[in-house]
Amino acid sequence: MQLYLIRHGQSTNNARWETQEGYETYRTADPTLTEKGIRQAELLADFLAISKPGEEDFWRDPQNRLGFGLTHIYCSLMQRAIHTGSIIANRLGLPLVALPEAHEVGGIYLESMVNDVIEISWEHGVNPEFISTHYPDLTLAKPIDEKGWWRGGKEDSSQPLKRAQGVLNWIKERHLGSEDRVAVVTHGGFTNYLLRAMLQISPEEPDNRKLDYRLIYNNCAISRFDFVDNRIMMVYHNRADFLTDELIS
């Protein structure tokens, strides 16, 4: 199995964070892609669609010079990941399957200060009606609630590492030992936890913020991991050379 972790395209929150213009005031709980983010996803999809003639060898193409040959695409149920995954899936002619557990750290929420007390909004994310209207080709790995997939509130810091291990186990149960090439469109923070789950880094500490490192993921960047026998090989990380300079974010 080859596993490709892909960060979603630039979201409206990402754009505000880069400029710090009204980030705290106008941040949204479930942001959509910007025009730049859509263009990033389109170029990523074109890059993933490349197929060059050559000797087919599943393992001996560490830079994907012959192409990617993806067989499966999964995404989180946050709008920025669904949109990015849909652009890729449509370009490659592959089904897109949503994994609710692959969401960004914290879930869908907003924080506000009321009488010097932090209050957390109660959000639920996209629901089946929204999906059937806007993304009718999206398949759910498991049913979601009619009011939305997210339970509400903010995720406890003890949960993301456990959740990452669960997502990894789900993928391995279905693809480990095969020649499947699996892409997961997810989020920068959660990808850090997926990496830790794969490589068993500091399993005793559930909170990434307490570790002395963090990996950076650009929008629409790709990281590749090959699962060979009982070993996991990190082939490359944060690859975004298919984007033009002005589209790097």
Side-chain angles (χ1 to χ4, degrees), residues 37-80:
I38 294 172
R39 185 59 184 143
Q40 289 170 335
E42 290 170 343
L43 289 178
L44 168 61
D46 288 342
F47 183 59
L48 294 173
I50 292 173
S51 179
K52 297 180 180 178
E55 182 181 351
E56 287 299 324
D57 190 314
F58 189 71
W59 304 114
R60 296 184 181 277
D61 185 18
Q63 290 297 312
N64 296 99
R65 299 284 186 177
L66 301 179
F68 289 83
L70 294 181
T71 59
H72 297 77
I73 305 176
Y74 301 106
C75 69
S76 94
L77 271 174
M78 289 178 157
Q79 290 194 63
R80 55 201 187 273

Side-chain angles (χ1 to χ4, degrees), residues 11-59:
S11 71
T12 55
N13 284 354
N14 293 153
R16 291 182 182 116
W17 175 258
E18 287 181 17
T19 63
Q20 288 298 300
E21 270 186 45
Y23 178 73
E24 295 298 335
T25 303
Y26 298 106
R27 178 183 177 274
T28 57
D30 191 12
T32 56
L33 294 183
T34 62
E35 290 186 10
K36 183 175 183 175
I38 294 172
R39 185 59 184 143
Q40 289 170 335
E42 290 170 343
L43 289 178
L44 168 61
D46 288 342
F47 183 59
L48 294 173
I50 292 173
S51 179
K52 297 180 180 178
E55 182 181 351
E56 287 299 324
D57 190 314
F58 189 71
W59 304 114

Side-chain angles (χ1 to χ4, degrees), residues 16-231:
R16 291 182 182 116
W17 175 258
E18 287 181 17
T19 63
Q20 288 298 300
E21 270 186 45
Y23 178 73
E24 295 298 335
T25 303
Y26 298 106
R27 178 183 177 274
T28 57
D30 191 12
T32 56
L33 294 183
T34 62
E35 290 186 10
K36 183 175 183 175
I38 294 172
R39 185 59 184 143
Q40 289 170 335
E42 290 170 343
L43 289 178
L44 168 61
D46 288 342
F47 183 59
L48 294 173
I50 292 173
S51 179
K52 297 180 180 178
E55 182 181 351
E56 287 299 324
D57 190 314
F58 189 71
W59 304 114
R60 296 184 181 277
D61 185 18
Q63 290 297 312
N64 296 99
R65 299 284 186 177
L66 301 179
F68 289 83
L70 294 181
T71 59
H72 297 77
I73 305 176
Y74 301 106
C75 69
S76 94
L77 271 174
M78 289 178 157
Q79 290 194 63
R80 55 201 187 273
I82 299 174
H83 196 171
T84 302
S86 295
I87 290 171
I88 297 169
N90 289 338
R91 178 70 174 83
L92 301 184
L94 290 174
L96 179 64
V97 178
L99 300 179
E101 293 82 3
H103 67 79
E104 181 59 297
V105 177
I108 295 183
Y109 69 96
L110 291 173
E111 291 182 343
S112 58
M113 189 70 72
V114 179
N115 297 323
D116 296 324
V117 176
I118 295 178
E119 291 195 356
I120 305 297
S121 67
W122 209 253
E123 315 275 347
H124 297 291
V126 301
N127 57 24
E129 181 181 3
F130 178 93
I131 292 171
S132 63
T133 300
H134 298 280
Y135 297 101
D137 295 328
L138 179 67
T139 300
L140 298 172
K142 66 179 184 180
I144 61 174
D145 195 280
E146 288 300 317
K147 63 185 177 184
W149 66 271
W150 179 240
R151 64 177 182 272
K154 182 179 180 180
E155 179 183 42
D156 185 81
S157 62
S158 65
Q159 294 306 305
L161 186 56
K162 296 178 183 177
R163 183 160 51 82
Q165 188 63 63
V167 169
L168 181 61
N169 289 343
W170 192 92
I171 292 171
K172 289 168 68 174
E173 286 171 5
R174 288 157 178 78
H175 304 287
L176 191 63
S178 73
E179 293 198 351
D180 290 344
R181 302 186 181 198
V182 179
V184 181
V185 181
T186 182
H187 309 266
F190 186 60
T191 303
N192 273 275
Y193 283 100
L194 282 171
L195 174 69
R196 290 182 57 196
M198 280 190 283
L199 304 184
Q200 289 298 295
I201 299 173
S202 303
E204 74 287 349
E205 176 49 68
D207 193 344
N208 268 1
R209 295 170 297 180
K210 296 181 180 179
L211 301 178
D212 58 1
Y213 80 94
R214 179 180 174 85
L215 296 179
I216 299 300
Y217 298 88
N218 288 99
N219 291 120
C220 278
I222 312 166
S223 295
R224 171 180 162 181
F225 300 84
D226 290 3
F227 290 68
V228 185
D229 298 326
N230 294 320
R231 304 180 70 194

